[in-house]
Amino acid sequence: MTLGMTTTGKLSRASYDSIIEFDARHYTIDSALLLALSDLYGRDVVLRGRGRWQRFAPLGKHDLDGYAATLSHDVAVLGRWDNGERHLVAVGDNKMNERQQCEHRDRAWQAAEKARRVQQAQRQQEHAQTALRAHELWAKAMPTKDHAYLRRKGVAPGSNRQLGSLMLVPLVDGTRLVNVQTIATDGTKRFLKGGRKQGCYHPIGAFDTDRPLLICEGWATGMTLHAETGLAVACAMDAGNLMPVARYLRSRYPGASIIVACDNDHATVGNPGVTKGRAAAEAVGGRAIWPALDGIEGASDYNDLALLDREVAV
């Protein structure tokens, strides 16, 4: 049975979104981790990998942005790289007094932080290697002139390049290229494995703080918004990255008016596009907008709105 959630002492919300404790009489740390993973992210989530740090694709996503790791016989961690979520799982004796529980949590915190630092260093090295790979691909690619995805979406190629049948969408951290999204002729999208995405974006247009800055999810949506409004757009690539991108742009352009142009995921429970878009806008003192597409099957973003010959306005 679960002992409960704690957000006290060193195990504050600033460190973890939740600390989940299980009774060691009924759970091993491995079974506790799997139960926590199921409770937080759904029963259909599957861990992949053979090492300590395993990955999973959050529901509705292709990228392995989730992670989970058993750190010791009584401590594990799990979370998501794309939105910064972090959760700590621990097993302990529910007969411990308050002092013993605090000591147990402190040991769990120290073990988790030590493992996090090691894993973070490994991730940084992986990010650097992937950035080099992105630069190599970008140097080999040619400016995109014609691509099936462009025709289907009715947008210009912008600054994208093409390598074979793949269109390359550059992703930057504000100053340099860190990753690319590849788009196949059938619309399949992939990021380079091991590359950065959180807080990074694809820029469209000149970022002039005298005019509003737009943030959206997908690249085609960003191209549509820029073409229709003339405003600069930062494409966050998915809903989970709207918040990190919004916070970065607010820190870089403190006086700018920021508008988050959400996807309207009206066919999905909880409408994550609007929910996460509004949260991102509120976090930076901006405003959120979304297209009126409720009830229109298969339509959710501003590119879909334009393809329906409806006005795109902010």
Side-chain angles (χ1 to χ4, degrees), residues 59-76:
L59 294 180
K61 299 191 66 177
H62 296 291
D63 297 320
L64 300 178
D65 287 326
Y67 64 87
T70 299
L71 307 180
S72 68
H73 72 280
D74 59 356
V75 179

Side-chain angles (χ1 to χ4, degrees), residues 203-214 226 230-234 253:
I204 302 174
F207 281 52
D208 179 1
T209 55
D210 290 334
R211 306 185 69 194
L213 303 180
L214 298 179
H226 178 66
L231 298 175
V233 186
Y253 306 105

Side-chain angles (χ1 to χ4, degrees), residues 132-154:
L132 288 176
R133 176 62 175 157
H135 279 275
E136 292 172 354
L137 293 176
W138 190 252
K140 294 177 182 178
M142 300 296 291
T144 301
K145 294 182 178 179
D146 183 54
H147 194 275
Y149 186 76
L150 298 178
R151 296 194 296 273
R152 188 158 61 252
K153 292 295 186 177

